[in-house]
Amino acid sequence: MPDSFFVIAAAVLGAVIGSFLNVVILRDSRRSTILTGRSACMHCGHELSWYELIPLLSFVMQGGRCRKCKKALSWQYPLGELVVAALAVFALWYGYFLNGSWVLAAGVFIVLATFFVLSGTDFRTMEIRPEYTIFAMVVAALSNVLSGKMTLTQVALGAAVGVGIILFLTYGWKLLTGKLGMGEGDAWIVAAVGALVGYPAIFPALFAAVLLGAVVGVIILARLGRTDDVAMPFGPYLAMGGLIALVWGQAIIQWYTMGI
C-alpha cells in the first residue's frame, strides 16, 4: 500500500480517538466516569446522536452549535481531534517511516495520546493522574525496548535522571523560598517523558519544557499586568518538551557538545 494510505488512515483514526479523549478529559475534570452515560451537550444536557459525534465534520455541519439549544460548543472538541490526528501521523512517521517499527509507532502514539489527556486535565484542574503517567511510562519503555530503538538502560536512565532533576528543582526551590518549585505530580509525567525519549535526550526535553513554560508564563504575566506568582500547569510543557526531544533531541545534543 502507498504511504499516503497509511497517513490518511492514521489521521482518521487519530481524529476518532481524539473525540473520545476529549470526553475523557471533560469527565476526568468533573470526576465522572466514562463508563456510564452518553455524551451530551454541556449547556442543555441534550444526548448526542451518532451523527453529532462524527469527528470534525459534526462540528462544522452544526456551525459549532448544539442542534437543540443552539448555544456555542467548545472549540476544545475540533481542536483536540485535530491535535490527536496530528499526533497519530507524527507517531506513524517517527515509528514506522523513520525507524521501521510498527511497535514503536503504536507505542509512541499511545504515549502521546496519554500526554494529551494529562495536559488537558492539568490545564483544567492543575492535577496530574499518577496512573496515567505510569501507564505511559510502561508503554514507552516496552515500545522502545521491543522495537530495538533503545536499551532498557537508556530508558531507565532517562526516567531516573528526569525525575531526579525535577525533584531537585522542586524541593531545592522549597528550601530557598518555602514554596514548592512545581507540582509534585510533574515528577510522574517527567518519568514517562524520560522513558519515551531516553538518556541523554531527557536533557533537551527538560530544557525545551522549561523554555516553553517560561515564555508562556512571561506572556501570561504581561497580559495580566502582574509580577507576582501565578499558578500555571507545567505538565503540558513537559509533554511538549518530550515531543521536541523525539524530533530534535539528538541534534540539540550534538550542537551543544560541539559548542563546548
Side-chain angles (χ1 to χ4, degrees):
M1 293 184 181
D3 291 346
S4 57
F5 170 82
F6 292 115
V7 172
I8 294 171
V12 172
L13 179 62
V16 172
I17 294 175
S19 179
F20 169 74
L21 296 183
N22 273 330
V23 176
V24 174
I25 291 171
L26 292 172
R27 296 198 182 187
D28 266 6
S29 301
R30 299 196 301 261
R31 294 292 190 271
S32 57
T33 178
I34 62 171
L35 300 178
T36 58
R38 295 177 55 182
S39 295
C41 172
M42 295 183 66
H43 301 294
C44 67
H46 163 63
E47 289 192 351
L48 305 181
S49 304
W50 68 267
Y51 51 83
E52 296 174 281
L53 295 170
I54 303 173
L56 298 174
L57 291 178
S58 293
F59 188 89
V60 173
M61 290 188 297
Q62 294 172 202
R65 296 183 177 277
C66 172
R67 288 179 62 251
K68 185 174 183 180
C69 68
K70 306 304 180 183
K71 290 186 177 180
L73 301 173
S74 171
W75 277 90
Q76 176 183 327
Y77 297 111
L79 290 178
E81 290 159 3
L82 281 173
V83 167
V84 180
L87 293 178
V89 173
F90 170 82
L92 175 69
W93 167 79
Y94 178 81
Y96 180 67
F97 294 149
L98 188 62
N99 291 289
S101 173
W102 282 109
V103 171
L104 186 61
V108 168
F109 174 66
I110 292 171
V111 173
L112 294 180
T114 306
F115 285 171
F116 172 77
V117 174
L118 286 167
S119 298
T121 54
D122 198 13
F123 268 124
R124 286 176 164 269
T125 66
M126 298 289 290
E127 295 179 1
I128 291 175
R129 298 277 294 271
E131 60 268 35
Y132 289 173
T133 59
I134 293 172
F135 170 74
M137 180 173 61
V138 171
V139 172
L142 287 175
S143 59
N144 274 322
V145 173
L146 292 178
S147 67
K149 175 64 177 174
M150 298 178 197
T151 65
L152 183 59
T153 299
Q154 287 175 297
V155 170
L157 275 176
V161 169
V163 171
I165 292 174
I166 290 296
L167 292 178
F168 174 79
L169 294 175
T170 298
Y171 290 100
W173 187 257
K174 185 176 182 179
L175 287 174
L176 292 173
T177 66
K179 298 179 180 179
L180 289 174
M182 57 189 71
E184 294 178 330
D186 294 326
W188 288 97
I189 193 170
V190 84
V193 171
L196 177 65
V197 304
Y199 180 89
I202 185 61
F203 293 111
L206 290 177
F207 175 79
V210 171
L211 182 61
L212 286 170
V215 170
V216 173
V218 168
I219 293 172
I220 291 174
L221 289 174
R223 293 192 63 180
L224 293 175
R226 296 168 55 182
T227 58
D228 56 336
D229 293 337
V230 174
M232 58 180 287
F234 191 51
Y237 305 106
L238 289 170
M240 287 188 280
L243 186 60
I244 290 170
L246 283 181
V247 182
W248 295 293
Q250 292 303 317
I252 293 172
I253 293 169
Q254 290 175 4
W255 167 79
Y256 177 78
T257 54
M258 289 176 63
I260 59 174

